[in-house]
Amino acid sequence: MKKLFVYFENMSVGKKLMTGFGIVLILSIAVALCGIKNLNDIAVRAEKVRMLKLVTDQFALAKDTRMQFIKTHDEQFIIANDKHLQQIETEIGLLKQLPWHPEQLTLLNSLTGLIAEYRDKRAQTVLETQKRVQIAAALSISNEKNAIAQISSGFAGRADAAALEAALSEVNKHLDGVSTRLTLLELQNTEAAQNALTGFLAESVQLIQNLVPQMTPDNSERLQNIASVLNQKKESVAGYRTSFLAEQEATGTLAKAGSSLTTISGQLFEDEIGATQTYIDDAIFWMTIILLAAVIMGVATTLIITRQITTPLSAILAFTQRISGGDLSTSLTTSAGEMGHY
């Protein structure tokens, strides 16, 4: 280090200026390159954050449209749901093209599988919902009630058929109870509601069967047909709850996939936010260090050159003063790097 200092001390002013400004220029370039690199890294991470937030937002919209379908059974909401899932898949594909740590890339790749599982289970829930809608429509007993009412109208005003008319009226009351129990089953989807509906249908069939022997052959046949249809409806009630339970199972798996997707995207989001802040802090630190080094180098170069210029000038001034005072024996000594030898 001492030899280097002596070598620099003995350099000419021009070389010192070139060396000093060269070092300052190199440090300035280093500051610029450091800034460009860190700004590029920050820009990449900011893009990751933006895309991950978009994934989270799109999935929230996908969940909302699925809930709207459950409430309304409008398939337009499923179409909207699929559009959101497609947008998520597009963003995941773009995210994979950006640089990631291996463990982060593994998490990112898992999102594709979760989306596929979510879509598969969503399709199953839609299928089961549509199945229950069909079962509920098939369980409607409006036609049977109308048929009973028509048979009953044939006994209107007949004193000898008042008992039959009252019995038919009782059947229709039971059928009203069937409609009520069907509504409760749609709302509650419980085993108790299913049993209540099945029980009312069985009672209605029994009431009809009791009336068959008392009717004319034509009316007996009509009542038998009604009883047969009601028995078929009773058998289909179990399918309604089976479908509901299948949907619940699919919904549970779907919810887990959705939760995992949200958790992973949230984790990656937080990681990138933290990394972005770290990069900003590092950029500020290193740019400050390099700038300080450039300033120190510039000041040091200025002081050395100033000293190299002022020292010889002071020596020359003292020499001339001694000569003017009549001291002709004095001499002027300079080093190789001083002004007189430049």
Side-chain angles (χ1 to χ4, degrees):
M1 182 63 72
K2 183 177 181 181
K3 289 182 179 180
L4 182 63
F5 182 77
V6 171
Y7 174 77
F8 187 76
E9 184 71 18
N10 290 327
M11 288 172 64
S12 65
V13 173
K15 289 182 178 180
K16 287 180 179 178
L17 281 171
M18 290 178 60
T19 302
F21 286 121
I23 292 174
V24 171
L25 179 61
I26 290 172
L27 291 173
S28 298
I29 293 173
V31 170
L33 292 176
C34 179
I36 291 171
K37 179 185 180 301
N38 281 284
L39 284 175
N40 181 65
D41 290 336
I42 291 169
V44 170
R45 293 188 179 278
E47 180 65 7
K48 289 180 182 179
V49 168
R50 183 192 68 79
M51 295 170 72
L52 287 167
K53 185 177 185 303
L54 184 58
V55 167
T56 302
D57 291 344
Q58 287 295 318
F59 188 67
L61 292 173
K63 288 195 295 185
D64 181 66
T65 52
R66 192 180 72 84
M67 294 304 297
Q68 291 297 325
F69 170 76
I70 292 174
K71 293 178 181 178
T72 64
H73 300 159
D74 186 347
E75 293 190 11
Q76 289 298 318
F77 289 111
I78 292 301
I79 295 174
N81 177 273
D82 202 59
K83 288 181 178 179
H84 293 309
L85 294 182
Q86 289 174 4
Q87 182 65 35
I88 292 172
E89 288 177 321
T90 299
E91 294 301 324
I92 291 173
L94 294 174
L95 281 167
K96 289 179 180 179
Q97 298 175 15
L98 299 175
W100 295 90
H101 293 302
E103 61 274 12
Q104 290 180 313
L105 187 57
T106 299
L107 290 174
L108 195 60
N109 286 330
S110 70
L111 294 180
T112 302
L114 290 171
I115 287 293
E117 183 177 20
Y118 182 92
R119 181 179 276 115
D120 178 64
K121 295 304 177 181
R122 183 210 62 192
Q124 186 177 347
T125 60
V126 171
L127 179 63
E128 296 299 338
T129 298
Q130 292 171 339
K131 185 186 295 185
R132 288 202 312 282
V133 169
Q134 293 173 357
I135 293 174
L139 285 172
S140 171
I141 40 80
S142 57
N143 291 336
E144 288 71 27
K145 286 179 61 178
N146 289 334
I148 295 291
Q150 287 178 1
I151 296 173
S152 179
S153 64
F155 299 106
R158 290 175 49 185
D160 60 332
L164 290 175
E165 185 179 7
L168 289 169
S169 177
E170 185 65 24
V171 171
N172 262 350
K173 287 182 180 179
H174 264 75
L175 292 180
D176 286 335
V178 168
S179 297
T180 301
R181 297 308 181 278
L182 176 59
T183 300
L184 290 175
L185 179 60
E186 290 176 311
L187 292 173
Q188 299 174 354
N189 286 299
T190 62
E191 186 175 0
Q194 173 185 315
N195 292 336
L197 175 58
T198 303
F200 261 78
L201 283 168
E203 289 176 8
S204 299
V205 169
Q206 186 59 53
L207 289 174
I208 291 172
Q209 295 288 6
N210 293 339
L211 286 171
V212 168
Q214 306 174 48
M215 296 291 176
T216 63
D218 183 54
N219 285 337
S220 293
E221 183 178 356
R222 293 172 66 186
L223 287 177
Q224 288 281 22
N225 290 336
I226 293 171
S228 177
V229 171
L230 291 178
N231 270 323
Q232 292 175 7
K233 292 180 184 293
K234 184 181 70 172
E235 295 302 321
S236 68
V237 171
Y240 190 96
R241 179 155 174 79
T242 300
S243 174
F244 171 74
L245 293 176
E247 182 194 358
Q248 289 297 99
E249 183 179 355
T251 299
T253 305
L254 179 150
K256 289 180 181 178
S259 177
S260 296
L261 188 149
T262 303
T263 300
I264 291 172
S265 63
Q267 179 182 338
L268 291 172
F269 180 86
E270 292 298 329
D271 288 347
E272 292 307 308
I273 287 289
T276 300
Q277 186 59 51
T278 300
Y279 267 85
I280 292 173
D281 294 341
D282 288 346
I284 294 172
F285 174 78
W286 285 110
M287 290 176 71
T288 301
I289 292 296
I290 297 173
L291 281 172
L292 286 175
V295 171
I296 293 171
M297 195 64 199
V299 171
T301 301
T302 302
L303 290 175
I304 292 173
I305 293 174
T306 301
R307 179 173 173 273
Q308 186 169 357
I309 293 173
T310 57
T311 298
L313 287 177
S314 297
I316 292 171
L317 181 59
F319 175 75
T320 56
Q321 287 176 343
R322 288 196 297 273
I323 291 295
S324 64
D327 184 4
L328 300 178
S329 62
T330 185
S331 61
L332 179 64
T333 303
T334 60
S335 65
E338 289 180 343
M339 190 174 158
H341 295 271
Y342 177 67

